[in-house]
Amino acid sequence: MPIDYHTHNVRCGHAVGELEEYVQSAVSQGMIQIGLSDHMPLVNLSQEEHPDIAMSMDELPRYVEECFRLKERYKGTIDVRVGLEGDYVEGYEEPIAAIVRAYPWDYVIGSVHFLGTWDVTDFRQAHKWEGRRVVDAYEQYFDAIQKAAATGLYDYIGHIDAIKRFARPPEEDVTALEEAALQAVKKHGLAFELNVAGIHAPCKEQYPSMRMLERASALDIPVTYGSDAHHPDKVGQKGAEARAMLKKAGYAHLATFEGRKRTLIPF
């Protein structure tokens, strides 16, 4: 792929590699843009009790400063885009907005990981599915996606159906929930990402499913690509497969971002 807009680094506590290593990995693959998008500091949990979920608030300005140094250092070699995975947590919109508005981001990803204090993407919390009606979690998750889209804080929605990560499908049909989420993304003028990390998860499927990807294409919702790399070697992962999926769904362009403005480029 010519771009990768979803990457992490050692600051978040569960990834390895420095920011520059991710940039260098993208350069080695001939990419034209690389997005740096580490996890926003926690707003709903204690950083001291959960040091390996996201960067600390103290690290945030240092992260931004390093991103912009790399943007300048690699000018003419690759376009570095300075981003943030700005987790949406219902009820914490004000502290999230304060973080988003504090810095001159190129883009902010709206991702849902938390339903309250439950991180539905954390393998250490997978036991919390036990005794739970699966469709209830799906309803809460996709409702959060709709609310995230409506905040005006984000440029695109990340791993839009990550609720499926641990392969706990509800018995009920959730097509209507997926449709409502896509309609919210469309209504509020956002893009979304094809995130290939799910291929390595228990669900063994990219985010979103081909069903959602094709429906998003039919709705003319812009798409970007993200590896969700937590290691420099994973930048651009499954790029050929991602390209094939996008073309099958009817896409010919990728969304890119600079200064919170979206531009479509062919791929």
Side-chain angles (χ1 to χ4, degrees), residues 192 209-218 243-252:
F192 75 107
S209 64
M210 278 304 300
R211 176 175 67 186
M212 284 192 78
L213 190 63
E214 290 173 347
R215 179 58 181 152
S217 178
R243 179 187 292 268
M245 285 186 277
L246 288 168
K247 288 189 175 293
K248 180 182 178 183
Y251 282 103

Side-chain angles (χ1 to χ4, degrees), residues 40 86-91 93 96 109-114 143-145 147-148 151 153-154:
M40 178 189 78
D87 291 17
Y88 174 77
V89 187
E90 186 174 357
E93 290 84 357
I96 295 169
I109 307 172
S111 295
V112 174
H113 297 93
F114 290 97
D143 181 64
I145 292 288
K147 288 173 178 172
T151 63
L153 297 174
Y154 306 111

Side-chain angles (χ1 to χ4, degrees), residues 2-256:
I3 65 171
D4 186 347
Y5 265 68
H6 195 147
T7 62
H8 296 282
N9 73 100
V10 68
R11 277 188 175 88
C12 72
H14 61 277
V16 299
E18 301 293 336
L19 282 169
E20 189 162 12
E21 294 179 81
Y22 287 81
V23 175
Q24 290 171 341
S25 180
V27 170
S28 72
Q29 297 178 57
M31 289 186 177
I32 61 173
Q33 295 181 22
I34 179 66
L36 306 176
S37 59
D38 208 14
H39 290 285
M40 178 189 78
L42 294 172
V43 295
N44 61 323
L45 295 172
S46 163
Q47 184 72 44
E48 290 72 25
E49 294 177 12
H50 303 277
D52 56 355
I53 293 180
M55 76 175 105
S56 69
M57 196 66 75
D58 289 342
E59 278 295 319
L60 182 59
R62 289 191 278 271
Y63 163 74
V64 176
E65 289 166 6
E66 185 178 358
C67 286
F68 276 99
R69 282 199 302 271
L70 292 170
K71 189 183 185 82
E72 185 63 27
R73 183 180 303 165
Y74 283 86
K75 189 178 294 183
T77 301
I78 189 171
D79 288 332
V80 175
R81 299 294 191 243
V82 180
L84 183 75
E85 186 168 18
D87 291 17
Y88 174 77
V89 187
E90 186 174 357
Y92 292 86
E93 290 84 357
E94 288 188 13
I96 295 169
I99 292 171
V100 170
R101 292 167 182 161
Y103 298 96
W105 309 107
D106 285 317
Y107 67 103
V108 180
I109 307 172
S111 295
V112 174
H113 297 93
F114 290 97
L115 301 181
T117 59
W118 175 30
D119 183 347
V120 299
T121 68
D122 187 347
F123 69 93
R124 296 167 300 186
Q125 299 183 47
H127 65 280
K128 294 185 178 181
W129 281 102
E130 302 302 330
R132 187 183 298 268
R133 188 166 173 260
V134 174
V135 73
D136 290 344
Y138 269 67
E139 289 173 350
Q140 189 178 355
Y141 177 87
F142 282 113
D143 181 64
I145 292 288
Q146 293 179 64
K147 288 173 178 172
T151 63
L153 297 174
Y154 306 111
D155 299 290
Y156 73 81
I157 296 296
H159 43 61
I160 195 168
D161 60 348
I163 187 70
K164 72 186 180 189
R165 181 178 187 187
F166 294 108
R168 297 267 187 160
E171 294 181 1
E172 297 85 346
D173 182 8
V174 295
T175 306
L177 301 179
E178 297 173 351
E179 177 70 14
L182 289 174
Q183 290 289 349
V185 173
K186 174 71 174 179
K187 175 182 177 181
H188 297 288
L190 276 66
F192 75 107
E193 70 174 359
L194 174 59
N195 181 315
V196 295
I199 294 172
H200 300 297
C203 64
K204 300 186 186 312
E205 184 180 60
Q206 75 288 339
Y207 312 117
S209 64
M210 278 304 300
R211 176 175 67 186
M212 284 192 78
L213 190 63
E214 290 173 347
R215 179 58 181 152
S217 178
L219 291 170
D220 199 27
I221 301 174
V223 68
T224 194
Y225 159 80
S227 64
D228 211 338
H230 284 67
H231 188 290
D233 290 349
K234 295 296 186 181
V235 172
Q237 66 173 324
K238 299 292 182 182
E241 291 93 329
R243 179 187 292 268
M245 285 186 277
L246 288 168
K247 288 189 175 293
K248 180 182 178 183
Y251 282 103
H253 294 80
L254 292 168
T256 65

